Amino acid sequence: MKKIFSGIKPSGDLTLGNYIGAITNFIKLQHEYECYFCVVDLHAITVPQIKLELKKRIKDIAAFYIACGIDPNKSTIFIQSEVHAHTELSWILECNTYIGELNRMTQYKDKANKVGTDGLSSGFYTYPVLMASDILLYDSDLVPVGEDQKQHVELTRDIATRFNNKHGDTFTIPEHLIPKVGARIMDLQEPTKKMSKSENDKGCILLLDEANIIRKKIMSAKTDSEMKIKYDVLNKPGISNLLSIFSIITKKSINSLENEFKNCNYGEFKKALANELINIIHPIQQKYENIRTSRELDEILDEGAKKANYLANKKVRKVKKRLGLLR
Ligand code: TYM
């Protein structure tokens, strides 16, 4: 069975972008692949975090994985920092990655342009290598991610190929799996920017938002003055974003939605979208509340860490042997 690895970092509450760009794909793929879904907490500390919030969010994300529909009997769910091999392999791979490669990572470049490098941790700079380790430890064939992570998966492929060529066949070369629709859900207020947990409150729907908040955020989403429900990212980024969200959550094609709403105004369309979103998110929240406080969640995470540790330690031993690091 082919393998899948993916992760979400607990640097903020889960967003609709995380759900559409990543989690909906995890749910689809879990039946066909051996899946590893990780809460990548070590990635979160590349920027400052508040201890108690981080601690809470780590388990929140694990609970949301399950509440959204990942079956813990089928997939392995675990917390990255409970598997030490991730950091060990990361160091080894850092010694196999060029500074030039890291300099080309757009996420790093964007952040460095914004805040300068003096205030950025070196962990933020090297984090694509930690991500490569996450993926390569489990011989992952596919990595389901949103568009923003594509470059990191490509770097992972380069690092793995280079290592294999130099030291012998060690890593499976992974491929990214990016959804055709919904790979980049945009901010509702600034639809030319990615929806992100660190950005504008009003522009970002959280999976924890109450129904009235979701409705408010959708109803006040920025659109244009044409009043025509048509997918056109360049000229109508706002309405195109809402169409993508609608399409993913209802599994209706964009074309059929354009048809369905051709005689409606933006207000009617947004109202329908808000209702659909609430219908999806509300049951997830209820399931989340149950699982978040259950003892079962800890058992699932313990079990997940055990399985992940076994596989990851085996891989690290192989890598160390290849390098002459084992007695
Ligand atoms: P993170 O935590 O920022 O996001 C988690 C996943 O959600 C996707 N995503 C989006 N998709 C569509 N539209 C959006 N607005 C949006 N916002 C986020 C991301 O593309 C991602 O798939 N470095 C990664 C976490 C990571 C990882 C890994 C992923 C660490 N190790 C190994 C895959 C495999 C990150 O920061 O994702």
Side-chain angles (χ1 to χ4, degrees):
M1 211 182 201
K2 289 205 167 191
K3 288 186 183 173
I4 281 197
F5 182 98
S6 200
I8 298 183
K9 60 179 187 292
S11 52
D13 291 325
L14 275 185
T15 69
L16 186 65
N18 297 137
Y19 178 71
I20 291 183
I23 298 177
T24 50
N25 245 348
F26 299 174
I27 295 159
K28 269 191 239 151
L29 296 162
Q30 66 179 332
H31 305 291
E32 298 155 55
Y33 295 87
E34 181 179 329
C35 293
Y36 295 83
F37 297 122
C38 189
V39 182
V40 284
D41 54 350
L42 295 172
H43 285 266
I45 61 164
T46 55
V47 293
Q49 298 293 333
I50 297 164
K51 175 177 145 185
L52 288 180
E53 282 182 16
L54 177 63
K55 192 174 160 72
K56 175 184 171 295
R57 274 200 232 105
I58 290 170
K59 278 177 77 176
D60 285 354
I61 292 194
F64 264 119
Y65 277 160
I66 299 164
C68 289
I70 292 169
D71 179 352
N73 294 314
K74 283 211 171 99
S75 302
T76 305
I77 299 173
F78 70 102
I79 297 170
Q80 183 188 32
S81 64
E82 294 181 0
V83 181
H84 301 171
H86 288 248
T87 40
E88 192 171 9
L89 181 61
S90 187
W91 175 254
I92 292 172
L93 294 184
E94 269 180 49
C95 300
N96 258 277
T97 305
Y98 298 115
I99 290 171
E101 288 177 310
L102 295 179
N103 283 342
R104 285 193 287 276
M105 294 294 109
T106 52
Q107 257 184 17
Y108 163 72
K109 283 198 293 189
D110 289 352
K111 186 99 176 180
N113 277 340
K114 236 190 203 167
V115 301
T117 48
D118 282 355
L120 263 191
S121 72
S122 53
F124 187 87
Y125 182 59
T126 55
Y127 110 96
V129 188
L130 179 59
M131 179 160 162
S133 309
D134 301 339
I135 296 166
L136 298 176
L137 276 173
Y138 303 94
D139 284 323
S140 318
D141 298 283
L142 279 183
V143 185
V145 281
E147 177 72 34
D148 61 331
Q149 298 300 320
K150 184 175 169 193
Q151 196 187 27
H152 295 153
V153 181
E154 279 164 358
L155 176 69
T156 303
R157 289 171 60 86
D158 291 346
I159 295 172
T161 306
R162 186 183 308 133
F163 192 99
N164 285 353
N165 288 341
K166 214 163 155 191
H167 303 288
D169 218 14
T170 311
F171 297 120
T172 300
I173 310 296
E175 276 179 51
H176 54 68
L177 193 102
I178 294 174
K180 282 201 182 79
V181 181
R184 196 174 171 82
I185 297 299
M186 306 310 255
D187 188 283
L188 300 176
Q189 290 300 317
E190 288 180 76
T192 49
K193 269 174 50 186
K194 189 187 78 165
M195 182 185 282
S196 154
K197 39 203 167 205
S198 57
E199 297 288 339
N200 189 338
D201 241 359
K202 272 166 69 188
C204 176
I205 291 183
L206 302 175
L207 290 193
L208 277 169
D209 278 343
E210 286 170 13
N212 63 328
I213 304 282
I214 295 175
R215 206 178 298 282
K216 241 191 220 156
K217 286 180 179 174
I218 291 290
M219 293 312 290
S220 62
K222 278 251 155 56
T223 41
D224 52 76
S225 53
E226 199 191 26
M227 275 294 167
K228 191 158 183 241
I229 293 154
K230 190 167 161 279
Y231 191 84
D232 175 353
V233 176
L234 212 60
N235 299 309
K236 296 164 77 69
I239 207 71
S240 303
N241 188 36
L242 298 183
L243 272 166
S244 295
I245 297 172
F246 212 137
S247 166
I248 288 281
I249 61 166
T250 57
K251 300 190 177 73
K252 291 180 184 173
S253 71
I254 301 242
N255 259 343
S256 74
L257 287 170
E258 285 172 340
N259 239 334
E260 187 179 331
F261 288 97
K262 68 171 183 263
N263 296 321
C264 294
N265 60 36
Y266 284 172
E268 289 162 328
F269 173 73
K270 285 174 170 177
K271 205 168 156 192
L273 172 58
N275 285 339
E276 294 287 355
L277 268 175
I278 292 163
N279 283 343
I280 293 272
I281 293 179
H282 185 63
I284 292 177
Q285 289 176 342
Q286 282 181 324
K287 218 171 153 198
Y288 161 82
E289 292 297 339
N290 288 336
I291 188 88
R292 179 65 179 85
T293 47
S294 72
R295 197 162 338 121
E296 197 194 341
L297 182 60
D298 280 318
E299 287 166 9
I300 289 167
L301 291 173
D302 286 348
E303 200 50 44
K306 207 162 125 194
K307 184 164 176 202
N309 265 304
Y310 173 76
L311 289 174
N313 286 337
K314 215 162 114 184
K315 180 59 88 182
V316 165
R317 270 198 305 277
K318 185 169 181 181
V319 170
K320 286 169 88 173
K321 205 165 161 194
R322 294 259 191 248
L323 294 173
L325 291 170
L326 272 195
R327 267 189 289 130

